[in-house]
Amino acid sequence: MTNDELKIKLSELVPPIAFEESAVQATPDGWLNVSVEPKDWHEFAKSLKHHPELRFDYLFCETCVDWKTHLTMVYHLESTQHRHIIVVKSKLDRNKPEIETVSDIWKTAEFHEREVYELFGVNFLNHPDLRLLILPEGWEGRNPLRKDFEDAINMVKL
Amino acid sequence: MTNEKDINKEISKSEASGRVSPPSGEPEGASFPGEVHPTPTGGVLVTAIDDVINWARSNSLWPLVFGTSCCAIEMMSTASAKYDWSRFGFEVARATPRQADVIIIAGTIVNKMAPVLKRLYDQMADPKYVIAMGACATSGGPFFYNTYSVVKGADHVIPVDVYIAGCPPRPEALLHALITLQKKIKSGLTREQIRMTKPE
């Protein structure tokens, strides 16, 4: 499905998800970007996976960006059947970053979300096992990929 | 008169063959330490046993298979056919520290890896040598500033004998470092050798 066809298909998707038309646009690399409210994300994700013409069954990247004013969750999805790709972004409140987990939809998200949890401090609601992934014990609550992260002992500031 | 001539001849002969010089083309460091005094039945070798031991050790350095990032790719390249470090006596890379003589720190050492590196070093049998390969192992390199996880130089964890610049260094640079280490061992100046000769 081309990006334009995807766009139409997405706008027809499950009524409760209202994303702005301006939020849907293709980036220079040719991937369709969709912005979604955190509260709508889980339902939207489900329909992305199960809609017969979309079938986004492969979450190949899940990460987070710290924009200093807010955090943005980024999900890259591909359909192994139809071979189309979209990027879903969701803005989070930096002081209380919370979003529903998608590990029940794409199993791979379980580890990705643990990584985002330890590095950015995003709280994934209903995650089955939300704890540190790579960082050693004692790092709970300190999120090294936040832009304002400080570590007087290990870090040389430039 | 003739007798004196003969003696002079003998002296110049022994001067010429005083040192067992390597066949032309071989690096200078490969020469055997000591002097051979020819006798009618062959020759007498005069040398110091420490020098012979150092010579033997330096020409049979077994590196540990240890690579933490892209420098390891260069290290593998140095080991393989094109550069072939076994020409200089680094024949067999060992996968266990118990059998290795030299540890080439090929890559970034992060805080989580530091205790592992220390343990590997402790497990190696004496005498042991360390080469810090590339910018990360030397100083943290590109990860010196604004990073929470990287050790700023592997010498914070274990003592280093030879440092190599580069990111990553070319295989020639690693070969040069290994030959430098050999020279250092021959002259008895590696950290390990100094530590062993010093009374505690």
Side-chain angles (χ1 to χ4, degrees):
Chain A
M1 215 185 283
T2 65
N3 279 345
D4 289 334
E5 288 167 330
L6 264 181
K7 214 166 170 175
I8 296 161
K9 195 52 74 184
L10 287 173
S11 57
E12 292 168 357
L13 220 59
V14 209
I17 297 131
F19 52 84
E20 294 161 34
E21 193 63 28
S22 61
V24 185
Q25 48 183 301
T27 48
D29 52 22
W31 289 344
L32 195 67
N33 279 30
V34 182
S35 293
V36 106
E37 283 294 315
K39 59 176 169 47
D40 301 329
W41 166 230
H42 193 261
E43 189 119 351
F44 184 57
K46 251 194 214 158
S47 41
L48 284 180
K49 178 161 184 192
H50 297 298
H51 191 287
E53 284 177 73
L54 297 175
R55 282 255 182 273
F56 286 105
D57 52 0
Y58 179 30
L59 175 69
F60 67 92
C61 179
E62 175 178 354
T63 187
C64 186
V65 183
D66 185 0
W67 292 99
K68 287 187 177 174
T69 51
H70 61 275
L71 298 174
T72 302
M73 282 299 300
V74 186
Y75 301 81
H76 285 72
L77 296 163
E78 182 170 11
S79 166
T80 55
Q81 194 183 332
H82 304 298
R83 284 291 161 203
H84 46 221
I85 293 174
I86 59 162
V87 183
V88 183
K89 292 181 179 173
S90 188
K91 243 182 179 182
L92 303 183
D93 178 7
R94 202 166 180 283
N95 297 317
K96 197 171 180 283
E98 276 184 347
I99 192 165
E100 195 77 21
T101 180
V102 286
S103 58
D104 54 334
I105 301 168
W106 298 283
K107 189 73 181 163
T108 183
E110 194 176 321
F111 271 32
H112 283 115
E113 287 177 354
R114 277 177 64 184
E115 197 177 351
V116 171
Y117 163 74
E118 67 174 9
L119 296 173
F120 292 94
V122 175
N123 187 21
F124 291 94
L125 304 169
N126 300 326
H127 190 282
D129 184 22
L130 199 62
R131 60 194 163 93
L132 298 181
L133 177 66
I134 297 165
L135 292 177
E137 274 176 49
W139 276 82
E140 286 87 356
R142 301 165 64 209
N143 310 113
L145 289 198
R146 287 277 189 107
K147 291 290 181 191
D148 55 0
F149 175 77
E150 294 282 350
D151 185 339
I153 298 162
N154 293 308
M155 257 167 89
V156 181
K157 291 292 263 186
L158 183 68
Chain B
M1 231 13 219
T2 49
N3 208 6
E4 207 180 291
K5 227 182 202 170
D6 275 349
I7 290 166
N8 278 340
K9 219 178 180 180
E10 204 58 47
I11 287 169
S12 64
K13 212 173 156 189
S14 80
E15 264 176 7
S17 60
R19 235 182 134 70
V20 185
S21 52
S24 56
E26 240 184 279
E28 193 264 323
S31 62
F32 187 80
E35 287 177 17
V36 174
H37 295 277
T39 58
T41 52
V44 176
L45 173 70
V46 180
T47 182
I49 192 71
D50 279 357
D51 288 347
V52 177
I53 288 171
N54 284 344
W55 169 82
R57 281 177 175 164
S58 68
N59 285 313
S60 168
L61 286 171
W62 290 10
L64 179 69
V65 178
F66 181 75
T68 44
S69 49
C70 40
C71 279
I73 305 296
E74 297 299 302
M75 186 175 74
M76 288 175 235
S77 174
T78 318
S80 58
K82 187 164 180 181
Y83 295 96
D84 190 16
W85 65 17
S86 53
R87 290 179 296 156
F88 304 95
F90 318 109
E91 192 72 62
V92 268
R94 296 274 106 178
T96 163
R98 305 281 185 203
Q99 297 171 357
D101 300 304
V102 55
I103 179 164
I104 300 168
I105 307 167
T108 320
I109 301 298
V110 293
N111 288 335
K112 241 184 142 178
M113 195 66 191
V116 182
L117 176 64
K118 176 76 169 72
R119 168 169 279 201
L120 284 171
Y121 178 76
D122 288 343
Q123 285 176 335
M124 281 162 71
D126 289 338
K128 49 197 172 187
Y129 316 101
V130 180
I131 291 176
M133 181 181 183
C136 294
T138 306
S139 67
F143 307 106
F144 187 82
Y145 292 112
N146 300 334
T147 179
Y148 63 98
S149 59
V150 176
V151 176
K152 276 97 191 157
D155 47 9
H156 287 289
V157 188
I158 56 173
V160 175
D161 291 303
V162 180
Y163 297 87
I164 321 173
C167 187
R170 284 196 58 87
E172 292 92 331
L174 179 58
L175 282 179
H176 181 246
L178 287 160
I179 292 166
T180 307
L181 178 66
Q182 286 186 325
K183 283 185 182 160
K184 225 177 155 180
I185 294 168
K186 277 177 191 140
S187 49
L189 290 173
T190 62
R191 285 170 173 275
E192 187 67 29
Q193 286 162 315
I194 293 167
R195 192 177 67 80
M196 282 195 296
T197 51
K198 258 191 196 160
E200 289 288 319

